[in-house]
Amino acid sequence: MTTDQARPAPDDRRWKALGVCLTAGFISLLDTSIVNVALPSMEHGLGASEAAQSWVVSGYALTFGLALVPAGRLGDMRGRRQAFLFGLAVFTLASAACGLAPSASWLVLFRLIQGTAAGMVAPQTSGLIQQMFQGAERGKAFGRLGSVIGVSTAVGPLAGGLLINAVGTDDGWRWVFFVNLPIGVAAFAAGLRLLPRYPALSDKREEFDLFGVLLLGSGVLALMLPLVQEQQWTGRLKWALMPVAALLLAAFWAWERREGRRGRAPLLDLNLFSLRSFTLGALISLIYFAGFTTVFFVYTLYLQDTVGYSALTAGLTVLPFAVASAVGAAIGGRLVVRHGRKLVVIGLSGVAAGLLGVVVAVQLVPGQAVGWASALPLFIGGISSGLAVSPNTTLTLTRVPVHRAGAAGGVLQTGQRVGSAAGIAVVGAVYFAHLANHGRSVTALQLGLLTAVGMIMIALVLAMADLRERHVHPEPETAGGTEEPVRSGS
């Protein structure tokens, strides 16, 4: 019996199973940003040094990014249900350990484990969507995933601010982690009951490519370390890791080609990059995440350090973006089958326009009222972001064979993590350099936002070029795609 269409679950069960996946995805992505406003509480209540605080944030991002592709491949081979539940269980236990940490060193260690577990959960979600849904339904499912990505990224500072405001600075940081426990336990219990039991791959050649994992992990680590530690590691020596990363990733590419020629199953099927929809979509995603995620970094920093907003108030100011991105992603998921890449072009254009509106708002309405003045452009940027992220995810993965969906989803999300780290490094450098040299925080914020807009415009150019190429050389871009036959697999 093949495969991923065998014994399809009833419609209501599939959508409930999707809800489990999205719940786990929400808390794992929420933890990338919810801790940012909790850092002063960690310093006050735990005595965490600046270096420890940095690793609480960057360590999670590092291990999250490192785990994505290997975990996606493991799910492809051994079953996504098992990989998802294991990752969710470890994430929940690690969250409890973070909240109970007796010292900053233990907190950093548990945070690294938590990030690894999050990286195991994330690619299983996109892989399960590929398995459970076809055609227009898949677009709707990815639309809901896009809503979760947008909301979880933007609502983190608000959730953290609410918890610290309610509990207090001494122990508020602990509840930033404890909040995951009831959600994680409930999602795990529901997952045991609802997630479909698709059979795992039985092909004996499908061995796990450990050397490929080592090469890819070393390359991604060398690439991300100087980016996530850009503010903490002073001097230029850190950038020497970039050519090392390039060499390691080139060696990984050569190794994977060798494994493919020898008839073995590589960690990453390089044939995926022969699909224009996958290659362009992954590149657009990487560049776009470098642009839009930096907004929450420099904008909330400006509101707290310059305007005098509290962590809670600063979090509330990005709520229009979060709510609108959820709405935009749901709309995009429903329209992607009909309009395809045009939605991505419209979405990226709207995000750029929204951020330019914020640039104008901080210039014309200085002081405490800037949060209100920026609400409308942030709403426009949010709904446009949903129209970009959700359809781009659908179009990127639509023609990927289902038995490679986990690894492909891992590649896509690794690009998002690398893009976010690179964007924060670049935009942060622009913001802090102008602040140090000229002391004008308004101008520093504007320059940072304009840098982010520049990155989004690069993604827009790629999307427009892809749209034009499709008119010359049409390629199916519906949410059903042209999937290759799937072996008896997970």
Side-chain angles (χ1 to χ4, degrees):
M1 179 187 296
T2 67
T3 138
D4 308 283
Q5 284 83 30
R7 301 191 308 277
D11 283 351
D12 60 339
R13 188 182 179 91
R14 288 185 297 132
W15 290 103
K16 289 178 181 177
L18 175 65
V20 173
C21 294
L22 297 185
T23 300
F26 176 81
I27 57 175
S28 62
L29 289 170
L30 183 72
D31 268 48
T32 62
S33 59
I34 193 173
V35 299
N36 290 342
V37 296
L39 295 178
S41 175
M42 291 176 192
E43 182 180 10
H44 187 271
L46 192 65
S49 66
E50 184 177 333
Q53 294 174 51
S54 172
W55 272 99
V56 167
V57 177
S58 61
Y60 184 87
L62 275 172
T63 52
F64 194 144
L66 289 172
L68 284 165
V69 175
R73 181 69 184 119
L74 189 64
D76 290 342
M77 292 173 57
R78 300 292 181 253
R80 295 182 183 118
R81 181 181 185 274
Q82 298 92 315
F84 177 91
L85 290 173
F86 178 78
L88 178 57
V90 174
F91 179 87
T92 305
L93 291 172
S95 296
C98 286
L100 295 170
S103 68
S105 299
W106 281 107
L107 176 59
V108 170
L109 175 62
F110 295 140
R111 185 72 168 151
L112 294 174
I113 297 171
Q114 188 192 35
T116 304
M120 175 163 282
V121 169
Q124 315 313 328
T125 297
S126 58
L128 284 165
I129 289 175
Q130 294 281 81
Q131 287 183 289
M132 293 190 294
F133 300 98
Q134 298 292 325
E137 284 190 332
R138 185 180 290 173
K140 293 177 183 178
F142 274 122
R144 296 187 184 184
L145 177 61
S147 297
V148 166
I149 292 172
V151 171
S152 60
T153 304
V155 83
L158 171 60
L162 284 170
L163 288 168
I164 292 169
N165 189 62
V167 180
T169 55
D170 283 347
D171 293 318
W173 68 269
R174 296 186 185 275
W175 287 92
V176 165
F177 301 109
F178 286 151
V179 73
N180 293 329
L181 302 187
I183 303 172
V185 170
F188 184 85
L192 284 174
R193 183 170 57 90
L194 295 171
L195 290 177
R197 295 178 178 272
Y198 293 118
L201 287 169
S202 57
D203 191 334
K204 298 300 183 184
R205 294 182 304 166
E206 296 283 346
E207 299 177 357
F208 197 62
D209 182 8
L210 289 176
F211 189 66
V213 171
L214 179 63
L215 286 174
L216 179 62
S218 301
V220 173
L221 182 64
L223 178 64
M224 289 187 67
L225 263 178
L227 296 174
V228 299
Q229 292 292 106
E230 199 275 334
Q231 294 298 318
Q232 287 70 35
W233 290 0
T234 58
R236 298 180 179 179
L237 186 60
K238 59 179 176 281
W239 301 115
L241 283 173
M242 287 298 184
V244 175
L247 289 173
L248 288 168
L249 293 174
F252 168 74
W253 189 275
W255 172 260
E256 295 300 283
R257 289 187 61 184
R258 177 176 177 270
E259 290 293 279
R261 285 196 300 265
R262 295 174 64 183
R264 297 181 179 178
L267 176 66
L268 178 61
D269 186 355
L270 299 182
N271 289 327
L272 291 173
F273 294 97
S274 66
L275 300 173
R276 187 182 68 214
S277 55
F278 178 79
T279 303
L280 264 295
L283 189 57
I284 289 169
S285 181
L286 184 153
I287 297 172
Y288 175 66
F289 269 72
F292 105 96
T293 54
T294 59
V295 175
F296 310 114
F297 173 62
V298 293
Y299 183 59
T300 56
L301 196 64
Y302 166 79
L303 291 177
Q304 292 179 82
D305 291 349
T306 300
V307 182
Y309 279 19
S310 67
L312 176 59
T313 308
L316 282 169
T317 60
V318 298
L319 194 58
F321 190 103
V323 173
S325 65
V327 174
I331 295 171
R334 293 180 179 275
L335 298 179
V336 63
V337 175
R338 186 183 310 167
H339 298 290
R341 190 66 73 186
K342 292 177 184 177
L343 280 179
V344 180
V345 171
I346 293 170
L348 293 173
S349 302
V351 176
L355 295 189
L356 289 174
V358 176
V359 171
V360 173
V362 298
Q363 179 67 39
L364 298 181
V365 189
Q368 293 282 327
V370 68
W372 290 103
S374 301
L376 179 59
L378 282 175
F379 182 88
I380 294 171
I383 202 163
S384 301
S385 180
L387 289 175
V389 173
S390 170
N392 186 64
T393 301
T394 306
L395 296 170
T396 302
L397 298 177
T398 189
R399 303 190 75 228
V400 172
V402 178
H403 68 285
R404 299 296 186 195
V411 171
L412 180 64
Q413 294 179 68
T414 299
Q416 293 171 358
R417 302 278 72 78
V418 171
S420 297
I424 289 173
V426 172
V427 173
V430 171
Y431 177 83
F432 289 116
H434 188 84
L435 204 58
N437 294 330
H438 304 284
R440 288 180 51 83
S441 56
V442 171
T443 307
L445 174 64
Q446 290 174 322
L447 290 174
L449 291 177
L450 288 173
T451 304
V453 170
M455 297 177 189
I456 293 168
M457 293 302 294
I458 295 172
L460 175 61
V461 169
L462 288 173
M464 293 177 67
D466 185 43
L467 183 62
R468 181 179 179 182
E469 181 69 16
R470 287 172 188 276
H471 288 301
V472 180
H473 303 291
E475 175 182 86
E477 63 174 5
T478 65
T482 55
E483 295 175 356
E484 298 174 16
V486 183
R487 291 172 287 172
S488 179
S490 60

